[in-house]
Each structure stands twice: as structure tokens, then as C-alpha cells.
């Protein structure tokens, strides 16, 4: 069985993430969406909330994926789960340096593990969780940026009553 890990902060999950995850699910027998737990990083949604948002989206979209959290190194986690690939979306050249650095580091830590990049769909080139949070924070319309089934929850949480 070919297993892939789609790691990320998913703070919150966007339609860009959803596009990459569902494309990965067509290629691999099993896809584990691994939510990073990093105590040094400030997240707007805690681990359980990010997991719950992803679960809602997976159910709504009928996605056959596993949702989990990764607390240590991704390279170790992938080994533990029997995964042979990490799948990441690449939006533009601006993503490349950071992603390349992570891919090479993970390869050194776990030589059996390949990082595969999927080119983001053209309509999601500009999209990021940070941008979604900023728009929602000002009470703006995020309906084109996040799956519809979770949009209200994100707005309610981030708009601070502006909407
Ligand atoms: O969505 P993001 O924030 O770009 O995802 C970053 C993520 C989760 C892929 C990265 O921070 C990660 O792999 N974290 C797990 C800890 C780890 O293995 N760090 C070293 C990676 S080179």
C-alpha cells in the first residue's frame, strides 16, 4: 500500500489545501493529513479546532483520508506510519526556497522518504491561511477561499463581531 503524508499548519484549511489533499488522495492508496503541533508557533485555531475543521471538510467532500497530528519530526512520523512520500503544494517561486530546504532536510533525516510537490491550481496561486485570517479579521468575504462548510465557523471565530 502506498502511503503519503500531507503535512501543514492548516490554520485554517483553505480550498488550496483541499485541492492538494484531494489530488494526492487520487494518487496514493492512503493519505494522512498531518497537522503540525509546534509550541513555538502561534496558531489562531488550536490543534483540536484545526483537526475538527479538517474532519468537517473531509466528511463534506467525502474524502478518504486520515487526519492526525504530528508532534515531533515529520521524517520520523512518516517512518512510523510507513509513508513513502510527503506531498506539498507549491504556489509560486516564493514557496520554493523554504519548501526545498524542508525537502532536503527531511531527505537527510529519512532517506527513504520522497517529497513530491504538486503545482497549485492556477485559481489558488494567491491563497494562504494568513490571507484568509486577515480578510476574516476585517469581516471580509472568505467564501471563495475556504470550503463553504467551515466558512461561518472561521468568520465567527476571527471577525471579532465585525460580521
Ligand atoms: O503549512 P506549513 O506551516 O508550511 O507546514 C510546515 C510543516 C508542518 C510542514 C513543517 O513545519 C513541519 O514539517 N513540521 C514538523 C516538524 C519538522 O519535522 N520540522 C523539520 C522540517 S524540515
Amino acid at each position: 500500500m502506498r502511503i503519503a503524508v500531507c503535512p501543514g499548519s492548516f490554520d485554517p484549511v483553505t480550498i488550496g489545501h483541499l485541492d492538494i489533499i484531494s489530488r494526492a488522495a487520487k494518487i496514493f492508496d492512503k493519505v494522512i493529513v498531518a497537522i503540525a503541533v509546534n509550541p513555538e508557533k502561534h496558531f489562531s485555531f488550536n490543534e483540536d479546532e484545526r483537526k475538527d475543521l479538517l474532519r468537517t471538510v473531509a466528511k463534506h467532500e467525502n474524502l478518504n483520508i486520515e487526519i492526525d497530528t504530528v508532534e515531533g519530526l515529520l521524517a520520523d512520523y512518516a517512518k512510523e506510519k510507513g509513508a513513502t512520500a510527503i506531498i506539498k503544494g507549491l504556489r509560486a517561486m516564493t514557496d520554493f526556497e523554504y519548501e526545498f530546504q524542508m525537502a532536503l532536510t527531511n531527505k537527510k533525516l529519512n532517506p527513504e522518504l520522497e517529497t513530491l510537490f504538486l503545482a497549485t491550481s492556477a485559481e489558488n496561486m494567491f491563497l494562504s491561511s494568513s490571507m484568509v485570517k486577515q480578510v476574516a479579521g476585517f469581516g471580509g468575504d472568505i467564501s471563495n477561499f475556504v470550503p463553504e462548510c467551515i466558512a461561518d465557523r472561521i468568520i465567527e471565530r476571527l471577525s471579532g463581531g465585525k460580521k
Side-chain angles (χ1 to χ4, degrees):
M1 179 158 45
R2 293 203 177 274
I3 304 173
V5 179
C6 273
S9 300
F10 304 107
D11 187 41
V13 58
T14 68
I15 56 164
H17 294 128
L18 176 59
D19 174 51
I20 299 295
I21 294 167
S22 44
R23 285 161 61 196
K26 287 183 193 154
I27 304 169
F28 286 85
D29 301 313
K30 180 167 155 184
V31 168
I32 306 170
V33 177
I35 303 172
V37 178
N38 183 351
E40 283 157 30
K41 200 168 162 183
H42 170 77
F43 295 110
S44 298
F45 294 88
N46 70 30
E47 184 188 325
D48 288 339
E49 289 168 332
R50 286 180 282 146
K51 216 174 191 174
D52 201 50
L53 289 170
L54 266 159
R55 275 208 200 99
T56 304
V57 172
K59 194 171 172 200
H60 195 263
E61 300 289 328
N62 210 10
L63 279 181
N64 182 25
I65 55 168
E66 206 174 291
I67 297 161
D68 196 11
T69 45
V70 49
E71 301 199 14
L73 285 175
L74 183 61
D76 294 340
Y77 176 85
K79 195 173 197 170
E80 199 182 292
K81 294 287 174 182
T84 50
I86 293 172
I87 306 279
K88 300 260 358 211
L90 263 193
R91 285 167 299 193
M93 283 308 284
T94 44
D95 282 344
F96 186 76
E97 205 170 324
Y98 172 60
E99 294 295 345
F100 199 57
Q101 190 180 23
M102 282 200 288
L104 295 185
T105 306
N106 284 325
K107 186 77 180 159
K108 275 275 179 236
L109 293 171
N110 178 355
E112 301 300 311
L113 186 64
E114 298 292 347
T115 298
L116 304 181
F117 295 113
L118 293 185
T120 196
S121 298
E123 61 272 26
N124 299 329
M125 283 282 287
F126 64 95
L127 193 53
S128 70
S129 296
S130 316
M131 192 275 298
V132 167
K133 285 187 277 191
Q134 202 174 110
V135 174
F138 286 108
D141 179 11
I142 57 166
S143 60
N144 287 318
F145 309 147
V146 299
E148 200 188 334
C149 58
I150 57 168
D152 285 350
R153 264 160 78 188
I154 295 170
I155 291 164
E156 195 184 324
R157 182 72 147 58
L158 296 177
S159 72
K162 291 192 185 82
K163 195 97 191 182

